[in-house]
Amino acid sequence: MRRRLRLSLTARLTAYFSCCSAAVLLGLGIVIALAMERHFAVEDFTALYENVNVIRKVAESSSPDDVRGRIRDALQHRTDFVARIQSAD
């Protein structure tokens, strides 16, 4: 014959509360992590788009001989961006 382990009402409520709290906190952590990842991806894309627009505007408004120097001057204060100009194409 097996004897069933009977937990008190307090022990059962404590176990249920702990499981529910862990599930809610885990879910909230996942939601916050995904929101932060999306936010920083948008920020990175926006910064990259701005830098590409600067290069595009300089390339459209300059002669091919002056492009390299003007892009260097335009991007000089942007230390987190590196552009490599290989040819006019």
Side-chain angles (χ1 to χ4, degrees):
M1 292 187 185
R2 293 175 107 186
R3 294 185 76 187
R4 288 181 63 185
L5 178 63
R6 296 202 61 136
L7 296 175
S8 68
L9 179 61
T10 305
R12 286 182 282 165
L13 286 174
T14 302
Y16 291 143
F17 179 77
S18 298
C19 290
C20 290
S21 297
V24 167
L25 290 174
L26 180 65
L28 189 60
I30 290 171
V31 168
I32 290 172
L34 292 174
M36 285 176 51
E37 185 176 332
R38 174 178 277 166
H39 168 75
F40 287 119
V42 168
E43 291 290 319
D44 289 345
F45 179 77
T46 302
L48 183 61
Y49 183 75
E50 289 173 0
N51 290 331
V52 169
N53 271 343
V54 167
I55 292 173
R56 184 177 294 130
K57 287 179 183 178
V58 168
E60 289 173 354
S61 67
S62 303
S63 66
D65 297 331
D66 296 337
V67 169
R68 176 176 275 172
R70 293 205 51 210
I71 288 178
R72 183 180 298 126
D73 293 340
L75 298 177
Q76 186 175 12
H77 65 280
R78 299 173 193 241
T79 58
D80 59 338
F81 184 73
V82 177
R84 182 176 177 182
I85 312 297
Q86 291 183 339
S87 68
D89 297 335

